[in-house]
Amino acid sequence: MTTNKSVLAWVKEMEDLMNPEKVVWIDGSKEQIEALREEACKIGELIKLNQEKLPECYLHRTAVNDVARVEGRTFICSRNEEDAGPTNNWMDPKEAYPMLFDIARGSMKGKTMYVIPYSMGPVGSPLAQIGYEVTDSIYVVLNMAIMTRVGTKVEEQLGDNENWIKGLHSRCDIDEEKRYICHFPEDNYIISVNSGYGGNVLLGKKCFALRIASYLGKNDEWMAEHMLILGIENPKGEVKYVTAAFPSACGKTNLAMLIPPEGYRKDGYKVWTVGDDIAWMRKGPDGRLWAINPENGFFGVAPGTNKKSNPNALASTAQGTIFTNVVHNLDDNTVWWEGLDKNPPANALNWKGEKWNGPEETAKGNKGAHPNSRFTAPAKNCPCISPAFDETAGVPISAIIFGGRRAQTTPLVYQSRDWNNGVFVGSIMASETTAAATGAVGVVRRDPMAMLPFCGYHMGDYFNHWFEMGEILGDKAPKIFNVNWFRLDDNGNFLWPGFGDNFRVLEWILGRCDGTAEANETAIGYVPNADDINLEGLDMERDILESILYVDNEKWLKEAEVIEEFYKKFGDRLPEKLASQLNALKERLSK
Ligand code: GTP
Ligand code: SPV
Ligand code: MN
């Protein structure tokens, strides 16, 4: 346990507020984790799975009303309303603190309060940050122990420093009406009540590593982004790193763990995973942009993950993994989800814990796993985890890729004209919504830089910060691209094979970075000609590729109108540079 006075004082405050029966400090030792797993099984929070097939793996079910992030109940509590901006819910801290403390008051009576010291980023990295989360949930403790670096080594690193992030989590009654996920960026404080679902309660993840960290980064010349980080090794053994921002459930984990097509593998190409969800980036001593993954595990979408689509993700879940809201196969005490294989178990329980006969229910169209069911897997399990994963300096970034789910309009890939145009490209991102957040699925919404639900301050200022970073990085700035793996034909089928074949697009992107790949200049940016994408070994007709590379100026003019409408939201905090980028685009489109 620490002797840090600021930590001890706050933990005492939390104890006095929530009145737990006892307080347990997490030291991160194997013994403590094992004891907590046993305790969680005893009280029914976890189910121990078949330890021969899935060693150290467990199953958890959340309450049925608590299965995804709740954006409508997520607040940025800055002192001035204006600083939260038009895309965030805002609450006055003067009202929020007392209200939240009232909800939390006495909520841990008869329970244990766990105190988790954790580091986002490799312990001791100049890009890392430390937080404390108090929680009444063993599930949260065990997930945090996978997703972040926890325990004594973190406390030693912090020492007497007062610079750390406070996180209060209490499940209270899992009451939807009193569920709040509140962020106080000016106070380094996060409060989450009445939820037990990952994205709402693993406070190191979206709450700290994106909402609070984006605010810290704005004030200190760094960036916290909703981005995967991957390394691409060529046959000469040289590795180049890229980051990619896609909205929730739009393919970050899949791209981060991609396996190149056979021909490339034979030639000696490899992909290395550094991160699958969040990147923290800062200018390095060499002037380039360097990135770390602040996380230590993967909180991945289970449905659709299988031996073919993402063998590396599947392998990551083979040990020490917590599965949430998937199917429980009672025959061999393992787990199943839609898209794992074609054999749903007959003797099973669905994600709600109800009797579920897989073949019969599947025939009726009844799913067994929740569409946002997840696995929490240690990063070190991943067969392609990057040797640079624990590197305190991070990795240098050559390209930044934006992308989303767009059935139409947006081509497979294009390159922005320069950094500022790239910021524009990120700002106009849009995507069809998914099950990762509560609400309607499949509706196109604007999601700039995939940060709409995660930016901890005014998004107009956030765009400005991107422009500032461009000035700081100058000609060493990464090149910026946009991709869309999700174009559909008239029958709703994907036109691009995606997954491993996305490597073909990555190859073009890296080719553009080192000046070896050709492109065609269009109104929206540089687009490859069909010949510039290698289709070898792929059964794809050239005219289909041409159709998803085609830039339809008519459609884009309509898109520009929607963007103009969207931009109005930001009022006079919309950077002038974005308004002029939009005008320049419209001019190019009308030519
Ligand atoms: P979060 O963890 O919510 O941030 O999600 P994510 O961005 O990591 O998404 P993930 O990789 O888990 O993919 C989500 C869904 O997109 C899965 O159902 C995948 O099968 C699907 N998907 C991923 N990549 C591709 C692709 O290249 N093409 C197609 N058609 N689908 C894809
Ligand atoms: C996302 O929704 O972008 C996720 C899952 O990565 S959650 O942790 O719930 O935010
Ligand atoms: Mn995510």
Side-chain angles (χ1 to χ4, degrees):
M1 195 175 107
T2 183
T3 55
N4 183 312
K5 287 203 185 89
S6 61
V7 173
L8 292 173
W10 179 70
V11 171
K12 176 75 173 47
E13 220 180 277
M14 293 297 98
E15 194 181 345
D16 291 346
L17 175 71
M18 294 184 285
N19 300 123
E21 192 176 288
K22 60 177 181 173
V23 177
V24 170
W25 291 70
I26 299 304
D27 61 24
S29 67
K30 271 200 162 150
E31 297 71 33
Q32 191 185 39
I33 296 291
E34 195 41 54
L36 286 171
R37 286 167 169 169
E38 266 175 44
E39 168 84 13
C41 290
K42 217 163 59 189
I43 60 175
E45 241 189 272
L46 291 184
I47 295 163
K48 192 171 194 164
L49 295 166
N50 184 328
Q51 294 297 295
E52 262 149 48
K53 293 189 172 169
L54 293 166
E56 297 180 276
C57 291
Y58 294 81
L59 170 66
H60 172 79
R61 294 188 199 107
T62 65
V64 294
N65 70 355
D66 191 25
V67 294
R69 284 182 295 98
V70 279
E71 296 179 3
R73 307 203 63 94
T74 300
F75 292 82
I76 300 299
C77 306
S78 45
R79 260 166 253 145
N80 296 319
E81 177 167 10
E82 222 184 274
D83 293 335
T87 56
N88 283 312
N89 302 310
W90 175 81
M91 215 190 291
D92 188 336
K94 285 203 213 82
E95 282 166 33
Y97 280 122
M99 182 203 58
L100 296 165
F101 289 150
D102 275 348
I103 292 174
R105 187 161 294 117
S107 64
M108 294 191 189
K109 271 191 197 125
K111 297 188 190 173
T112 301
M113 180 173 91
Y114 299 95
V115 182
I116 315 168
Y118 65 95
S119 173
M120 298 312 289
V123 177
S125 163
L127 285 92
Q129 302 268 345
I130 287 171
Y132 274 82
E133 175 167 357
V134 295
T135 178
D136 57 350
S137 159
I138 301 183
Y139 171 75
V140 167
V141 175
L142 294 174
N143 271 276
M144 286 293 282
I146 297 171
M147 293 305 297
T148 72
R149 284 105 171 151
V150 302
T152 312
K153 57 184 187 283
V154 176
E155 302 208 302
E156 285 167 4
Q157 174 66 32
L158 184 66
D160 290 333
N161 199 322
E162 292 183 7
N163 197 2
W164 51 277
I165 309 298
K166 301 179 176 92
L168 184 180
H169 168 243
S170 182
R171 281 176 299 175
C172 303
D173 309 310
I174 313 284
D175 177 352
E176 281 171 277
E177 303 294 314
K178 291 188 182 160
R179 186 170 297 157
Y180 291 99
I181 321 296
C182 290
H183 308 72
F184 303 82
E186 290 137 345
D187 304 338
N188 288 337
Y189 211 144
I190 305 157
I191 301 179
S192 164
V193 289
N194 279 299
S195 175
Y197 166 75
N200 300 328
V201 299
L202 306 178
L203 300 185
K205 196 173 177 55
K206 296 301 168 46
C207 299
F208 175 1
L210 289 178
R211 298 196 190 95
I212 297 287
S214 60
Y215 176 80
L216 297 175
K218 175 195 68 149
N219 294 330
D220 197 22
E221 298 190 352
W222 58 283
M223 309 168 88
E225 299 294 336
H226 192 197
M227 292 177 175
L228 65 93
I229 310 167
L230 67 79
I232 300 152
E233 182 174 332
N234 70 15
K236 287 187 249 164
E238 299 159 342
V239 187
K240 293 227 164 95
Y241 297 91
V242 307
T243 64
F246 309 154
S248 301
C250 289
K252 287 182 299 301
T253 303
N254 275 275
L255 188 67
M257 298 181 188
L258 164 158
I259 295 182
E262 199 187 345
Y264 286 96
R265 288 204 306 278
K266 278 199 185 132
D267 289 345
Y269 285 96
K270 289 193 190 104
V271 165
W272 299 105
T273 309
V274 181
D276 81 326
D277 199 48
I278 299 175
W280 284 1
M281 304 186 283
R282 189 188 272 283
K283 179 173 157 176
D286 63 354
R288 300 182 65 191
L289 188 62
W290 288 68
I292 60 163
N293 170 12
E295 302 191 283
N296 200 29
F298 309 118
F299 187 58
V301 179
T305 305
N306 62 53
K307 259 191 230 144
K308 273 185 94 178
S309 69
N310 195 343
N312 288 320
L314 201 60
S316 304
T317 66
Q319 185 162 5
T321 293
I322 300 172
F323 298 92
T324 301
N325 291 343
V326 298
V327 172
H328 190 189
N329 180 346
L330 297 174
D331 276 339
D332 64 353
N333 191 23
T334 57
V335 289
W336 188 86
W337 49 78
E338 277 69 26
L340 175 65
D341 55 39
K342 296 210 166 85
N343 311 308
N347 179 23
L349 300 178
N350 69 8
W351 69 272
K352 296 179 184 168
E354 301 160 342
K355 263 281 183 207
W356 190 76
N357 181 318
E360 280 177 18
E361 298 291 335
T362 304
K364 286 189 249 167
N366 295 332
K367 291 196 164 139
H370 188 275
N372 192 39
S373 54
R374 300 245 165 194
F375 54 79
T376 317
K380 66 171 183 335
N381 283 0
C382 182
C384 58
I385 195 72
S386 165
F389 177 73
D390 277 316
E391 205 63 72
T392 51
V395 296
I397 302 304
S398 299
I400 292 174
I401 306 170
F402 295 120
R405 263 174 210 270
R406 293 300 300 272
Q408 293 193 25
T409 315
T410 309
L412 177 65
V413 59
Y414 67 100
Q415 180 187 2
S416 69
R417 305 163 78 85
D418 52 29
W419 178 275
N420 284 359
N421 181 239
V423 177
F424 171 72
V425 168
S427 80
I428 65 167
M429 261 174 72
S431 193
E432 288 137 26
T433 50
T434 66
T438 54
V441 167
V443 182
V444 174
R445 77 164 179 185
R446 295 281 135 192
D447 188 352
M449 283 83 170
M451 282 290 278
L452 184 73
F454 306 121
C455 183
Y457 60 103
H458 195 297
M459 222 159 188
D461 298 348
Y462 169 81
F463 296 141
N464 246 329
H465 182 51
W466 267 85
F467 287 121
E468 278 163 14
M469 289 303 297
E471 273 162 38
I472 289 168
L473 295 163
D475 61 4
K476 296 213 168 100
K479 303 274 186 282
I480 301 181
F481 298 81
N482 193 87
V483 299
N484 177 20
W485 315 137
F486 299 94
R487 285 289 290 267
L488 299 180
D489 66 14
D490 294 340
N491 301 318
N493 302 309
F494 290 114
L495 286 163
W496 173 251
F499 302 97
D501 289 306
N502 293 333
F503 192 83
R504 301 169 191 277
V505 174
L506 292 178
E507 183 185 36
W508 180 79
I509 286 174
L510 289 185
R512 292 299 293 170
C513 291
D514 63 24
T516 54
E518 298 293 321
N520 181 18
E521 187 176 346
T522 73
I524 62 169
Y526 302 100
V527 179
N529 301 292
D531 289 335
D532 301 325
I533 301 285
N534 178 13
L535 290 187
E536 215 175 290
L538 183 62
D539 183 21
M540 183 175 191
E541 281 160 39
R542 198 191 139 98
D543 59 335
I544 292 182
L545 179 61
E546 274 168 6
S547 76
I548 59 175
L549 290 174
Y550 178 66
V551 177
D552 184 333
N553 285 5
E554 290 299 313
K555 279 199 178 131
W556 272 95
L557 273 168
K558 289 205 185 95
E559 186 83 4
E561 277 169 34
V562 184
I563 296 164
E564 187 151 7
E565 216 30 60
F566 175 66
Y567 272 0
K568 283 186 186 152
K569 264 192 176 190
F570 301 100
D572 56 12
R573 287 226 208 177
L574 182 84
E576 211 289 308
K577 287 195 182 93
L578 283 184
S580 57
Q581 284 283 342
L582 178 59
N583 283 335
L585 172 67
K586 282 200 284 192
E587 260 172 46
R588 290 193 301 268
L589 286 167
S590 321
K591 257 190 213 153

